Amino acid sequence: MSTLTVRLTEREERDLQLACEQTGKTKSEVVRELLAESLRGYRLRTALQAAHSELGPAARQAGWLTEDDILRDVS
């Protein structure tokens, strides 16, 4: 396990303290959980972007609607 030092704004510190009080967890526990959750989301977004880059052109060529097609129509 390693140590990480993070500089927080006053608001972030208040929010973190509130989360600790509400959950009964330490600052380290709350931050580790939030970081793990954020990293899972990051990995998922990265994987989806890679799949989209690889499969998107073939899907459009096959006539399938892609996320980009739907989002462009909404704009």
Side-chain angles (χ1 to χ4, degrees):
M1 187 175 288
S2 65
T3 301
L4 173 67
T5 302
V6 178
R7 192 170 287 125
L8 301 175
T9 65
E10 288 181 19
R11 175 158 186 163
E12 291 166 337
E13 172 63 24
R14 283 193 309 270
D15 290 345
L16 179 57
Q17 187 61 43
L18 181 60
C20 292
E21 291 168 8
Q22 291 174 338
T23 62
K25 296 178 182 179
T26 66
K27 289 179 181 181
S28 292
E29 290 170 325
V30 171
V31 170
R32 275 195 301 269
E33 288 176 7
L34 291 171
L35 180 58
E37 182 180 315
S38 180
L39 290 172
R40 280 192 301 274
Y42 174 79
R43 286 191 300 270
L44 176 59
R45 280 190 306 280
T46 301
L48 289 172
Q49 288 169 346
H52 184 269
S53 294
E54 185 177 330
L55 301 174
R60 278 198 268 323
Q61 187 175 16
W64 298 349
L65 288 177
T66 65
E67 183 179 352
D68 284 344
D69 296 325
I70 294 168
L71 292 176
R72 269 196 293 268
D73 290 340
V74 173
S75 301

